[in-house]
Amino acid sequence: MSERTDHGPESGGHHGGDELFKTPELPPLADSIAYIRALPKQTVAEVLRTAKARGKVAVQPRCGVGNQHEQLRLLRALEAGAQPDIHTLTIDAHTRMRRFDQALRGIRECPQDLNGYPLVGHGWIRGRELNDAVRAPIQIRHGSPHPWALFETTLASGFTAFEGGGICYNLPYAKNFPITESLALWREVDAVCGDLAREGIIVDREYFGTLTAVLMPPSISLAISFLEAVLAAREGVRCVSIAYPQGGEIVQDTATLRSIPRLAARYLPETVECYPVLHQYMGPFPRARRRADALILYGALAARLGGATKVLTKTHQEAFGVPDTDANLAGLATTHLAASELLDFVALDEDRVAEESAWIEEEVAEIVEPLLQGGDLLNAIPTAFAEGSLDIPFSASRLARSHIVPARDLSGAIRYLSSGALPFSERTLRRNALQLDDGDGRPPTRLLDRLSRDINYFAYADGPAGP
């Protein structure tokens, strides 16, 4: 077993050189493995495997507050009121960006002001307290390009799923964190997960295909996630979840989710379990409760129709900020209902779904296969971003060109208005242009107005706020 998880350079009770920051020393990795084996519940990978075998969509809320007592209360309330299949611990922004001293001051002085749970600051003993308090396993969601300290505390806490990767947790979140460095750091995480897999502990590694969250063309989302999954598989990871954000057009969303198992068969070894995951709509939400509830139901139905193994829920308070417990419970209830077999009578035009899937898979192939065939993938990815042959729209990072300009076609599906320097064939470029040909007599629209309209696709359709 690697020494990285026993007492690596970040292990122990001091991070950031501040004497205020003292948390319990991390236990030996053998202790964490024994703790996970003794837990009287399934791991996240086991929950996903069971859900897939039963044809069920596992349901997972978002959840993360700064105070330990409030976090315990929230997890217990969600479990008692809605029985999620997997819990979430969303990490605060200070911890994501390794401002551990500020996170610790937040815990002591104003935990209610933290926008998530500062796991490193609370430490692994409190992490195990959360783990022991609920039946469902817990996944860590964060957004850090430098995840090592958080990953160590995650393992010591006995959590069995860790979201993120060297691309998806860098370019949407950090302005200038070198891609080469983030890939190397996440490689270490994946290598430890590979070590654990050989010990019989399977850690689910989920890739945040949501990226910058709005108007994300399906093929760039899947391409980035599969590149990260290929790197993880090479380090021995045995369970990956490919997450995709609901775009809002049911045929495209269904087709995207159904493409994931086929792409996994093409690009991942048979030894790797791969699960499709849908994030309910991540863009601007309607303010009116009835429309927000309808959008939540729509997302859960897309997950069901697309064969997702898991769906991440939203709430009707999404347009107003951090949702309260009751809103979370309502979102979970609506999602459980729509993702159940009760709505199996709803059917789509399967020819359209198949055609859309074929196009999505062709676009993914045109993006990823030149890189996979080029040799050293860890070096090829940063070069591709520098050249623009890999790119994401609206990136926070100056290391991505962000020359991709997405837009909705008349059906609401998301296409490439500009694909920048992505290595698309003429056939793909022509198809995207044809899909966006507004030959309906609508007046020309300025690019900024069009982007605003498409980003606010559901919010603009809002009626007056109210029940």
Side-chain angles (χ1 to χ4, degrees):
M1 178 68 64
S2 165
E3 295 182 354
R4 286 171 296 228
T5 52
D6 289 330
H7 288 288
E10 294 191 9
S11 300
H14 297 270
H15 301 265
D18 191 321
E19 286 303 311
L20 284 174
F21 192 82
K22 293 180 179 178
T23 52
E25 291 287 335
L26 291 168
L29 186 59
D31 177 273
S32 300
I33 290 175
Y35 170 73
I36 292 171
R37 284 181 173 148
L39 282 171
K41 58 180 171 184
Q42 292 183 312
T43 64
V44 170
E46 288 168 336
V47 169
L48 295 172
R49 196 179 303 138
T50 301
K52 181 181 178 182
R54 294 178 179 174
K56 177 179 180 290
V57 184
V59 176
Q60 179 179 358
R62 291 173 169 81
C63 170
V65 294
N67 179 278
Q68 177 74 4
H69 175 73
E70 289 302 311
Q71 183 65 63
L72 272 169
R73 187 191 64 78
L74 180 53
L75 286 170
R76 286 171 170 151
L78 293 176
E79 185 144 299
Q83 297 184 324
D85 300 282
I86 299 167
H87 283 291
T88 294
L89 211 53
T90 303
I91 303 301
D92 70 294
H94 289 312
T95 302
R96 294 177 204 176
M97 302 314 291
R98 295 167 51 78
R99 299 190 294 263
F100 299 122
D101 299 338
Q102 289 170 260
L104 189 63
R105 288 193 184 93
I107 292 170
R108 290 177 171 173
E109 297 170 8
C110 49
Q112 70 279 3
D113 291 345
L114 295 172
N115 65 346
Y117 181 82
L119 176 62
V120 178
H122 279 302
W124 63 277
I125 293 176
R126 288 184 175 181
R128 288 191 184 182
E129 184 183 13
L130 301 180
N131 214 350
D132 292 338
V134 288
R135 169 196 55 81
I138 296 175
Q139 181 191 39
I140 300 299
R141 316 184 76 86
H142 50 114
S144 175
H146 194 314
W148 189 251
L150 183 58
F151 178 63
E152 285 187 307
T153 313
T154 293
L155 289 184
S157 302
F159 303 136
T160 51
F162 196 68
E163 188 186 35
I167 304 171
C168 66
Y169 267 10
N170 181 349
L171 300 181
Y173 293 97
K175 287 184 179 177
N176 196 27
F177 195 93
I179 300 172
T180 303
E181 187 173 343
S182 62
L183 289 171
L185 288 163
W186 281 94
R187 183 185 186 186
E188 292 286 298
V189 168
D190 289 332
V192 173
C193 293
D195 290 342
L196 288 170
R198 287 183 278 278
E199 295 286 328
I201 304 291
I202 304 298
V203 176
D204 173 60
R205 292 281 291 108
E206 182 174 327
Y207 301 100
F208 191 62
T210 296
L211 296 171
T212 49
V214 291
L215 284 186
M216 193 56 56
S219 61
I220 195 62
S221 166
L222 296 184
I224 298 291
S225 292
F226 272 100
L227 287 171
E228 292 178 309
V230 167
L231 289 171
R234 291 177 180 176
E235 298 301 324
V237 168
R238 289 294 173 262
C239 180
V240 299
S241 293
I242 304 295
Y244 160 71
Q246 179 190 6
E249 200 283 310
I250 192 72
V251 169
Q252 187 177 50
D253 289 335
T254 300
T256 304
L257 289 166
R258 290 186 188 178
S259 290
I260 290 172
R262 289 192 289 272
L263 292 167
R266 188 182 303 174
Y267 299 122
L268 298 177
E270 291 181 356
T271 51
V272 176
E273 300 172 74
C274 179
Y275 299 105
V277 172
L278 182 76
H279 286 248
Q280 288 178 346
Y281 193 65
M282 298 288 282
F285 236 67
R287 297 173 70 84
R289 165 115 191 226
R290 63 184 182 282
R291 296 195 66 87
D293 284 339
L295 185 52
I296 291 166
L297 186 144
Y298 191 36
L301 183 59
R304 177 80 182 176
L305 289 167
T309 308
K310 185 177 77 172
V311 60
L312 271 293
T313 63
K314 286 284 190 174
T315 79
H316 63 80
Q317 293 179 343
E318 212 63 41
F320 300 96
V322 178
D324 60 27
T325 303
D326 287 342
N328 258 307
L329 290 172
L332 283 162
T334 301
T335 301
H336 273 302
L337 177 68
S340 75
E341 68 277 7
L342 287 175
L343 297 183
D344 276 356
F345 63 89
V346 177
L348 296 175
D349 182 334
E350 290 296 330
D351 289 340
R352 284 189 62 204
V353 174
E355 181 184 6
E356 186 72 24
S357 288
W359 279 105
I360 290 167
E361 290 164 37
E362 186 167 325
E363 289 181 1
V364 171
E366 291 178 0
I367 297 169
V368 306
E369 290 189 2
L371 293 167
L372 295 176
Q373 295 162 3
D376 186 346
L377 190 56
L378 282 169
N379 286 328
I381 289 173
T383 301
F385 275 107
E387 295 173 346
S389 58
L390 271 181
D391 203 357
I392 63 174
F394 313 125
S395 175
S397 173
R398 64 190 63 173
L399 301 175
R401 290 190 176 191
S402 282
H403 286 178
I404 293 174
V405 181
R408 293 186 185 273
D409 68 16
L410 291 174
S411 74
I414 300 171
R415 311 293 181 192
Y416 293 89
L417 185 63
S418 167
S419 57
L422 294 181
F424 282 154
S425 64
E426 284 300 320
R427 174 180 142 91
T428 294
L429 294 172
R430 191 164 52 251
R431 198 252 182 176
N432 274 274
L434 285 171
Q435 294 289 335
L436 290 171
D437 182 6
D438 294 347
D440 63 342
R442 291 198 302 190
T445 306
R446 288 193 313 148
L447 177 59
L448 190 59
D449 293 339
R450 180 170 192 164
L451 284 174
S452 178
R453 181 195 70 195
D454 290 351
I455 288 171
N456 291 287
Y457 187 64
F458 290 103
Y460 276 180
D462 210 350

